[in-house]
Amino acid sequence: MSIEARIADEQPETFKFSAENEKEIKRIVAKYPKGRQASAVMPLLDLAQRQHDNWIPMKAIELIARKLDMAEIRVLEVATFYTMFNLKPVGKYFLQACTTTPCWLRGSDEMMRCIKDRYAIASGETSECGRFSLLEVECLGACVNAPILQVNDDFYEDLDYASTAALLDSLEADAPLPVGSVMGRSGSEATSGATSLATLKPKQSGVANA
Ligand code: FES
């Protein structure tokens, strides 16, 4: 997708961080050595996105550039490089579907087919109801439980056509299924269950113990 296509045509005339986020920005920037405040660009983009209904307007890019003493184009380069940053409005449920090789080998085509069958949208588009946006992304770093669909901040794993449909049903009802493996495996253990340390029982804290 071209950079122009990723940026909203309609933009707000102003953007300012909330008082709470201004405090958070001070805390984030203080973590970096003097003169290295540009290192805070990603957390600030994330704050802007969360504050602004899950997308970053160009006025926020300009503001972040001023705050971090960066050229605006450098902030925009970062915002357009990472697919997790949205530069135009997205639906309430932002679906990032991984189709990189491990997910593809484990059936991401079926996951994608289910989403497309239901909403008739391609990557980069939003459903007619306005609630679901789809983006095809590269590896989400959870290949062991492929295929993966990220819904806003959460990962759903081990999906096929039927389980993707069930997940979408739950989102439509605003009652999302529990996050993680839809086949119920714990963490990234084998699909057949634990194959080593099999006699250890997890403690309530989630830490394995004898
Ligand atoms: S290839 Fe999909 S999570 Fe890595």
Side-chain angles (χ1 to χ4, degrees):
M1 194 189 305
S2 70
I3 289 190
E4 290 78 14
R6 286 195 59 196
I7 298 176
D9 290 333
E10 284 183 30
Q11 295 279 338
E13 286 183 4
T14 58
F15 175 86
K16 89 187 239 219
F17 281 107
S18 64
E20 193 184 332
N21 278 341
E22 286 289 1
K23 265 195 225 155
E24 181 64 5
I25 288 168
K26 280 203 179 90
R27 193 190 67 78
I28 292 167
V29 170
K31 292 199 285 190
Y32 301 100
K34 208 164 158 36
R36 302 284 179 183
Q37 67 275 12
S39 302
V41 65
M42 288 185 64
L44 265 59
L45 285 168
D46 184 61
L47 279 182
Q49 177 160 289
R50 287 176 192 279
Q51 180 183 308
H52 194 259
D53 212 13
N54 212 13
W55 73 281
I56 304 169
M58 291 305 290
K59 286 291 175 192
I61 300 277
E62 292 168 17
L63 178 61
I64 290 169
R66 284 200 301 279
K67 279 184 178 297
L68 300 181
D69 197 19
M70 295 172 72
E72 285 169 22
I73 187 65
R74 286 191 58 216
V75 180
L76 188 60
E77 280 168 358
V78 175
T80 51
F81 180 81
Y82 293 99
T83 50
M84 66 189 183
F85 295 128
N86 301 313
L87 298 169
K88 62 181 182 183
V90 291
K92 175 176 182 182
Y93 296 109
F94 179 45
L95 312 176
Q96 296 184 70
C98 177
T99 56
T100 303
T101 311
C103 280
W104 175 67
L105 286 170
R106 293 260 304 160
S108 62
D109 281 355
E110 285 300 283
M111 177 177 82
M112 290 293 279
R113 188 166 68 83
C114 180
I115 298 167
K116 288 177 179 176
D117 281 355
R118 187 165 304 206
Y119 304 118
I121 50 175
S123 180
E125 294 179 350
T126 296
S127 61
E128 213 172 280
C129 66
R131 300 183 75 219
F132 293 85
S133 298
L134 173 64
L135 189 66
E136 200 171 338
V137 297
E138 301 300 330
C139 181
L140 288 167
C143 325
V144 180
N145 289 15
I148 306 294
L149 182 65
Q150 183 176 349
V151 180
N152 297 340
D153 286 336
D154 297 320
F155 277 17
Y156 289 90
E157 307 157 0
D158 295 318
L159 291 158
D160 56 14
Y161 192 100
S163 53
T164 303
L167 171 59
L168 296 177
D169 286 343
S170 77
L171 298 176
E172 286 177 13
D174 289 324
L177 291 175
V179 301
S181 167
V182 296
M183 61 170 65
R185 58 170 153 159
S186 173
S188 296
E189 72 182 15
T191 52
S192 54
T195 55
S196 59
L197 305 177
T199 58
L200 298 184
K201 298 272 180 266
K203 274 172 51 173
Q204 273 192 327
S205 64
V207 178
N209 201 359

